Amino acid sequence: MAQNSEALLTVLRAQPVMPVVAVDSASEAVSLARALAKGGLKAIEITLRTPSALEAIRAVASEVPETIVGAGTVLNPRQFEQALEAGSKFVVSPGTTVELLDAAKDAPVPLLPGAATPSELMAMLEEGYSVLKFFPAEQLGGIAYLKALAPVFPGIIFCPTGGVSMANVRDYLALPNIVCVGGSWVAPKAAVAAGNFDEITRLAAEAVALRSAG
Ligand code: 3PG
């Protein structure tokens, strides 16, 4: 079955920036999700890069109703199933494998898989996938690379992640083939460690304003 792109685009179109976070505890994730939602960023991607990630997704799914929690850095079918079981509303992968696409078939939540080269993009179109992550965005060629792909793959829309910041985000969002960007800058580790969640709410609101400001 093809990608559930409508469900995915509903989440991705709602905000210019998807916070990409790696959390050390479930309680940290809950505070972070609340602070980001207060600033207007309701969807967040919790990456499966820390031992607490699944517990954190579960906690946010049950305790923060205003947040749409997704799982990131999902590399294989086992992690896909764990992410679903924890309550993820969407799943993000830095790349694509046949096994992962099989796991996503008929799943109740959409998959945002990564792809970058023209051959990978052609393979994804064959699979019925047109909403893709582009990671690591800056290292792969960033804005110039995505700009070059746009006329060749007009049906593909990206969420670039990796090296995106307030310094370059406007240029990414101005491209015709970008639905939103992913980034960790809206949830700095130092602010989380200091319990400075007001700062995270401020950064989230600043990110939300990117779209209204054009
Ligand atoms: C990551 O690799 O953690 C995400 O892609 C976010 O990247 P960033 O920290 O460069 O925003």
Side-chain angles (χ1 to χ4, degrees):
M1 203 179 85
Q3 184 179 32
N4 187 353
S5 51
E6 274 318 305
L8 197 54
L9 286 171
T10 300
V11 175
L12 301 181
R13 281 194 186 121
Q15 58 197 58
V17 180
M18 173 66 66
V20 179
V21 304
V23 294
D24 291 326
S25 69
S27 63
E28 178 187 309
V30 166
S31 302
L32 200 46
R34 286 196 178 122
L36 288 163
K38 197 170 162 194
L41 295 180
K42 302 216 159 146
I44 71 167
E45 176 187 331
I46 296 180
T47 59
L48 302 193
R49 296 192 204 166
T50 59
S52 315
L54 289 169
E55 187 197 342
I57 291 169
R58 196 168 287 117
V60 172
S62 68
E63 295 172 37
V64 194
E66 64 270 34
T67 291
I68 301 163
V69 63
T73 323
V74 171
L75 304 180
N76 54 54
R78 183 164 171 270
Q79 289 179 323
F80 189 92
E81 291 308 322
Q82 289 174 325
L84 282 193
E85 189 273 324
S88 305
K89 303 294 187 299
F90 61 96
V91 173
V92 185
S93 175
T96 307
T97 64
V98 172
E99 291 77 9
L100 198 56
L101 294 184
D102 277 350
K105 257 182 204 147
D106 305 321
V109 306
L111 170 68
L112 176 67
T117 66
S119 296
E120 288 169 356
L121 299 179
M122 288 159 66
M124 293 309 279
L125 287 173
E126 291 293 339
E127 294 288 343
Y129 276 70
S130 59
V131 185
L132 303 172
K133 178 168 169 131
F134 181 73
F135 172 85
E138 280 292 287
Q139 292 84 349
L140 283 171
I143 290 151
Y145 188 103
L146 288 163
K147 204 173 196 170
L149 291 175
V152 183
F153 296 100
I156 293 185
I157 190 158
F158 293 98
C159 174
T161 302
V164 185
S165 68
M166 279 305 284
N168 58 15
V169 64
R170 288 179 186 79
D171 293 333
Y172 275 101
L173 292 174
L175 296 173
N177 50 350
I178 299 304
V179 59
C180 66
V181 303
S184 63
W185 86 88
V186 287
K189 278 277 169 207
V192 175
N196 189 357
F197 291 100
D198 286 347
E199 170 64 2
I200 289 165
T201 297
R202 187 192 72 74
L203 289 166
E206 183 181 55
V208 169
L210 281 165
R211 190 154 279 155
S212 37

